[in-house]
Amino acid sequence: VSRWKAYFLSKGVTLKDLPFAIFVHEAVGMTWLSATWAGCYFAQPTKRVGSLAAGARVQQAIEKAERTVHRWSSSLAKVPGLKSADRGRLVVSMAEASVMRNIARPITVPAKLWIAWNAVTLVKQLRASS
């Protein structure tokens, strides 16, 4: 722990900066979650890959799974902004986005840390110059 503390202190980051760094990290994470979910909702990667991979049988399996998910997703109808959306597609796209985020995790976690660190140092520089 003392090595980490010394490292961050050498970079000008203190314990007082931690709440803002966590906020930035989580805000970037929520933005990434929303972007991948929306992207998968509209792009429908499972259908595209499924139709390329094995044709009609895979497509039928995907459609059957979507119908099953649609029946299970009745609780989404209670969310005001999602009433007009395809509930089955929402659930499937969330699963697709989850897979996509897990595949990209070796890149996104360090990127989020880097963005948070840069945001903290930028704010500290702006405060110091004013």
Side-chain angles (χ1 to χ4, degrees):
V1 174
S2 62
R3 288 188 307 168
W4 287 44
K5 184 177 179 181
Y7 173 78
F8 285 113
L9 287 174
S10 73
K11 301 294 182 186
V13 179
T14 64
L15 192 57
K16 288 179 7 182
D17 302 319
L18 190 60
F20 180 67
I22 291 172
F23 171 78
V24 171
H25 183 272
E26 292 304 314
V28 171
M30 290 304 294
T31 302
W32 174 239
L33 171 96
S34 302
T36 55
W37 192 359
C40 288
Y41 182 83
F42 292 109
Q44 300 185 4
T46 305
K47 283 187 178 181
R48 291 177 192 266
V49 172
S51 64
L52 293 174
R57 287 186 60 195
V58 171
Q59 195 66 23
Q60 288 172 349
I62 290 170
E63 289 170 2
K64 180 180 176 185
E66 283 181 343
R67 286 192 302 273
T68 303
V69 166
H70 194 314
R71 286 194 308 269
W72 293 345
S73 62
S74 60
S75 62
L76 289 174
K78 298 172 187 169
V79 180
L82 301 179
K83 286 183 180 180
S84 63
D86 179 2
R87 292 180 292 174
R89 185 72 213 125
L90 280 171
V91 174
V92 170
S93 63
M94 183 58 175
E96 293 167 341
S98 178
V99 169
M100 193 168 148
R101 285 191 322 275
N102 283 326
I103 290 169
R105 186 164 290 158
I107 296 167
T108 57
V109 170
K112 291 189 316 182
L113 292 171
W114 181 81
I115 291 168
W117 177 74
N118 278 313
V120 166
T121 55
L122 176 66
V123 167
K124 287 184 86 141
Q125 289 173 355
L126 291 173
R127 286 183 183 160
S129 67
S130 59

